[in-house]
Amino acid sequence: MRVSVIQMNQGSEKQANLDQARRLVDAAMAADRPGLVSLPETWTNLGGGRESRQAAAEVLPAPGDSGGPAYELMRGLARGHGIHLHGGSMIEAPGPGDDPERLYNTTVVFDPEGREIARYRKIHMFDIVAPDGTGYRESALYGAGDRLVTFEAGGITFGCTICYDMRFAEHYVALRRMGAEAILVPSNFTLQTGKDHWEPLLKARAIETQCWIIAAASTGQYLERGQPRSVYGHSLVADPWGHVVARASDGTGWATARIDPALTARLRRDMPVMEHRTARRIDLDAAARGA
């Protein structure tokens, strides 16, 4: 199965972002004919502050019902190209039963018929201070998800994560236990953290889970309340041995790779780390205490 990761330079104007996503998906399809395309994190909005994010948010419909402009664009691209469309993540407005003061950073996946087959809310909130002192507090606006999600496409089981999730190895191991053979990581990785951590973390998640890692990222600059910020880009696909087998160049574009289930099976047979992990599963906290 061929997969393409789309690299965008989105901003605070939602319609411009939708138009950019459509152009890039159409171009990737014309050039490489992938069976699955993945968009980056919050591809419908990046920057502009709280009001811009709220304006870009959409209430997600029940599967099968009509949704907002971004939701229907993804559905149309999936159906029109006959592909699985992994919608990176979009800004989800609160629905019934949600905290009305919170938005959600949410992945939606469509099959080639345009049917929604998976929905995942980002679990780990990006609340950090970057090396230059810039603070990020995702939890001030967004609510966190509480469940892991996988879906099947082309005979392959994919796991869903979003950006900061990648720093939590146990999340990825849990997806592997759920049957994941490939894990998607749509991201808006900051330039400062990305230049040092982006590729090492993605390679580590590939190696320890023996899964393909499919990471579509945003690139370039955007304005946050009038101040410039930069995201790292470098969208990539890594194989279960940790080799980067496809990488996007600077600027907007895409990268395409072929997922080979035979390679996954061989690596897992020859180095059965999950079986070893299960066989030696212990309470590490208790072991550290000498209990």
Side-chain angles (χ1 to χ4, degrees):
M1 183 182 194
R2 293 169 69 81
V3 299
S4 290
V5 286
I6 302 296
Q7 184 160 288
M8 292 180 59
N9 177 217
Q10 67 269 42
S12 59
E13 295 296 327
K14 181 177 178 178
Q15 187 57 54
N17 297 332
L18 268 60
D19 292 342
Q20 182 183 159
R22 181 193 298 276
R23 288 195 303 271
L24 289 169
V25 171
D26 287 348
M29 291 304 306
D32 295 341
R33 305 303 303 173
L36 180 145
V37 173
S38 178
L39 294 167
E41 182 182 18
T42 59
W43 64 275
T44 56
N45 169 271
L46 190 57
R50 178 183 292 263
E51 295 78 12
S52 178
R53 290 173 173 81
Q54 290 172 330
E58 297 182 10
V59 175
L60 295 183
D65 291 347
S66 296
Y71 188 91
E72 290 304 317
L73 173 63
M74 291 187 290
R75 189 208 301 268
L77 287 170
R79 183 189 294 130
H81 289 297
I83 59 171
H84 283 85
L85 193 289
H86 170 267
S89 77
M90 60 182 290
I91 302 174
E92 179 190 358
D98 291 328
D99 182 341
E101 301 300 317
R102 286 284 181 266
L103 301 174
Y104 296 90
N105 189 342
T106 303
T107 294
V108 184
V109 184
F110 295 88
D111 73 7
E113 302 300 319
R115 296 177 297 227
E116 182 186 328
I117 60 171
R119 187 180 294 188
Y120 165 72
R121 285 176 169 176
K122 185 177 182 181
I123 290 175
H124 298 97
M125 296 289 97
F126 188 58
D127 292 353
I128 69 110
V129 178
D132 67 353
T134 302
Y136 298 84
R137 235 184 114 64
E138 192 173 18
S139 66
L141 185 58
Y142 291 92
D146 59 6
R147 67 187 184 95
L148 302 182
V149 174
T150 63
F151 66 93
E152 189 275 333
I156 296 168
T157 300
F158 292 82
C160 292
T161 69
I162 300 173
C163 200
Y164 192 54
D165 287 335
M166 77 171 72
R167 292 186 180 271
F168 301 89
E170 62 274 20
H171 187 153
Y172 285 64
V173 171
L175 287 171
R176 166 70 197 274
R177 286 200 175 106
M178 292 171 66
E181 300 159 271
I183 300 175
L184 294 131
V185 199
S187 299
N188 294 324
F189 229 72
T190 72
L191 177 62
Q192 285 204 315
T193 55
K195 64 185 178 61
D196 294 327
H197 295 170
W198 170 253
E199 192 166 315
L201 282 168
L202 293 174
K203 287 181 173 181
R205 300 296 86 87
I207 293 166
E208 68 200 2
T209 63
Q210 299 173 313
C211 286
W212 297 79
I213 296 294
I214 302 163
S218 306
T219 188
Q221 280 197 335
Y222 66 98
L223 294 177
E224 181 67 24
R225 294 183 294 277
Q227 298 300 310
R229 289 185 175 180
S230 297
V231 279
Y232 185 62
H234 295 77
S235 302
L236 63 81
V237 179
D239 73 14
W241 194 251
H243 290 156
V244 175
V245 295
R247 188 195 314 268
S249 186
D250 291 335
T252 61
W254 68 89
T256 301
R258 184 176 66 87
I259 294 180
D260 180 3
L263 173 62
T264 310
R266 177 173 61 80
L267 292 176
R268 292 179 176 188
R269 179 200 66 205
D270 293 348
M271 189 180 292
V273 293
M274 289 303 291
E275 288 85 346
H276 296 160
R277 183 186 294 268
T278 300
R280 295 291 299 160
R281 203 167 181 180
I282 60 174
D283 184 336
L284 294 177
D285 289 334
R289 296 191 300 269

Coordinates of all heavy atoms in Angstrom, one line a residue, residues 37-67:
V37 N -3.8 8.9 2.1 CA -3.2 10.2 2.2 C -3.5 10.8 3.6 O -4.6 10.7 4.2 CB -3.8 11.2 1.2 CG1 -3.3 12.6 1.4 CG2 -3.5 10.7 -0.2
S38 N -2.5 11.4 4.2 CA -2.6 11.9 5.6 C -2.3 13.4 5.6 O -1.2 13.8 5.0 CB -1.6 11.2 6.6 OG -1.7 11.8 7.9
L39 N -3.1 14.2 6.2 CA -2.9 15.6 6.4 C -2.2 15.9 7.7 O -2.2 15.1 8.6 CB -4.3 16.3 6.3 CG -5.0 16.3 5.0 CD1 -6.4 16.7 5.2 CD2 -4.3 17.1 3.9
P40 N -1.7 17.1 7.9 CA -1.0 17.4 9.2 C -2.0 17.8 10.3 O -3.2 17.9 10.1 CB -0.1 18.6 8.8 CG -0.7 19.2 7.6 CD -1.4 18.1 6.9
E41 N -1.4 18.1 11.5 CA -2.2 18.5 12.6 C -2.9 19.8 12.4 O -2.3 20.7 11.8 CB -1.3 18.5 13.9 CG -2.1 18.9 15.1 CD -1.2 19.0 16.4 OE1 0.1 19.1 16.2 OE2 -1.7 18.9 17.5
T42 N -4.1 20.0 12.9 CA -4.9 21.2 12.8 C -4.7 21.9 11.4 O -4.4 23.1 11.4 CB -4.7 22.2 14.0 OG1 -3.3 22.5 14.0 CG2 -5.1 21.5 15.3
W43 N -4.9 21.2 10.4 CA -4.7 21.7 9.0 C -5.7 22.8 8.7 O -5.5 23.5 7.7 CB -4.7 20.6 8.0 CG -6.0 19.9 7.9 CD1 -6.4 18.8 8.6 CD2 -7.0 20.2 6.9 NE1 -7.7 18.5 8.2 CE2 -8.1 19.3 7.2 CE3 -7.2 21.1 5.9 CZ2 -9.3 19.3 6.5 CZ3 -8.4 21.1 5.2 CH2 -9.4 20.2 5.5
T44 N -6.8 22.8 9.4 CA -7.8 23.9 9.1 C -7.5 25.2 9.7 O -8.1 26.2 9.4 CB -9.2 23.4 9.6 OG1 -9.1 23.1 11.0 CG2 -9.7 22.2 8.9
N45 N -6.5 25.2 10.7 CA -6.2 26.5 11.3 C -4.8 26.4 12.0 O -4.6 25.4 12.7 CB -7.2 26.9 12.4 CG -6.7 28.1 13.2 OD1 -6.1 27.9 14.2 ND2 -7.0 29.3 12.8
L46 N -4.0 27.4 11.9 CA -2.8 27.4 12.7 C -2.5 28.9 12.9 O -2.2 29.7 12.0 CB -1.6 26.8 11.9 CG -0.3 26.6 12.8 CD1 -0.6 25.8 14.0 CD2 0.8 25.9 11.9
G47 N -2.6 29.3 14.2 CA -2.3 30.7 14.5 C -3.6 31.6 14.6 O -4.7 31.1 14.3
G48 N -3.4 32.9 14.9 CA -4.4 33.8 15.0 C -5.1 34.0 16.3 O -5.9 34.9 16.5
G49 N -4.8 33.1 17.3 CA -5.3 33.2 18.6 C -6.6 32.4 18.8 O -7.1 31.7 17.9
R50 N -7.2 32.6 20.0 CA -8.4 31.8 20.4 C -9.6 32.0 19.5 O -10.2 31.1 19.1 CB -8.8 32.2 21.8 CG -10.0 31.5 22.4 CD -10.3 32.1 23.8 NE -9.3 31.6 24.7 CZ -9.5 30.6 25.5 NH1 -10.6 29.8 25.5 NH2 -8.5 30.3 26.4
E51 N -9.8 33.3 19.1 CA -11.0 33.6 18.3 C -10.9 32.9 16.9 O -11.9 32.4 16.4 CB -11.1 35.1 18.1 CG -11.4 35.8 19.4 CD -10.2 36.1 20.2 OE1 -9.1 35.8 19.7 OE2 -10.4 36.4 21.4
S52 N -9.7 32.9 16.3 CA -9.5 32.2 15.0 C -9.7 30.7 15.1 O -10.3 30.1 14.2 CB -8.0 32.5 14.5 OG -7.8 31.9 13.3
R53 N -9.2 30.1 16.2 CA -9.4 28.7 16.4 C -10.9 28.4 16.6 O -11.4 27.4 16.0 CB -8.6 28.2 17.6 CG -7.1 28.1 17.3 CD -6.3 27.8 18.6 NE -4.9 27.6 18.3 CZ -4.1 28.6 18.1 NH1 -4.5 29.9 18.3 NH2 -2.8 28.4 17.9
Q54 N -11.6 29.2 17.3 CA -13.0 28.9 17.5 C -13.8 29.1 16.2 O -14.8 28.4 15.9 CB -13.6 29.9 18.6 CG -13.1 29.5 20.0 CD -13.4 30.5 21.1 OE1 -13.6 31.7 20.8 NE2 -13.6 30.1 22.3
A55 N -13.4 30.1 15.4 CA -14.1 30.3 14.1 C -13.8 29.1 13.2 O -14.7 28.8 12.3 CB -13.6 31.6 13.5
A56 N -12.7 28.5 13.3 CA -12.4 27.4 12.4 C -13.0 26.0 12.8 O -13.1 25.1 12.1 CB -10.9 27.2 12.3
A57 N -13.5 26.0 14.1 CA -14.0 24.7 14.7 C -15.3 24.3 14.0 O -16.1 25.1 13.6 CB -14.2 24.9 16.2
E58 N -15.5 23.0 13.9 CA -16.7 22.4 13.4 C -17.2 21.4 14.4 O -16.4 20.6 14.9 CB -16.5 21.8 12.0 CG -16.0 22.7 10.9 CD -15.8 22.0 9.6 OE1 -16.2 20.9 9.4 OE2 -15.3 22.7 8.7
V59 N -18.5 21.4 14.5 CA -19.2 20.3 15.3 C -19.2 19.1 14.4 O -19.6 19.1 13.2 CB -20.6 20.6 15.7 CG1 -21.3 19.4 16.3 CG2 -20.6 21.8 16.6
L60 N -18.6 18.0 14.8 CA -18.6 16.8 14.0 C -19.9 16.0 14.0 O -20.5 15.8 15.1 CB -17.4 15.8 14.4 CG -16.0 16.4 14.3 CD1 -15.0 15.4 14.7 CD2 -15.7 16.9 12.9
P61 N -20.4 15.6 12.8 CA -21.7 15.0 12.8 C -21.6 13.5 13.2 O -20.5 13.0 13.3 CB -22.0 15.1 11.3 CG -20.7 15.0 10.6 CD -19.8 15.8 11.5
A62 N -22.8 12.9 13.4 CA -22.8 11.5 13.5 C -22.4 10.9 12.2 O -22.7 11.4 11.1 CB -24.2 11.0 13.9
P63 N -21.6 9.8 12.2 CA -21.1 9.2 11.0 C -22.3 8.9 10.0 O -23.3 8.4 10.4 CB -20.5 7.9 11.4 CG -20.0 8.2 12.8 CD -21.0 9.1 13.4
G64 N -22.1 9.4 8.8 CA -23.2 9.3 7.8 C -24.0 10.5 7.6 O -24.6 10.7 6.5
D65 N -23.9 11.5 8.6 CA -24.6 12.7 8.4 C -23.7 13.8 7.8 O -22.5 13.6 7.7 CB -25.1 13.3 9.8 CG -26.2 12.4 10.4 OD1 -26.8 11.6 9.6 OD2 -26.5 12.6 11.6
S66 N -24.3 14.9 7.3 CA -23.5 15.9 6.7 C -22.8 16.8 7.8 O -23.3 17.0 8.8 CB -24.4 16.8 5.9 OG -24.9 16.1 4.8
G67 N -21.5 17.2 7.4 CA -20.8 18.0 8.4 C -20.4 19.4 7.8 O -21.0 19.8 6.8

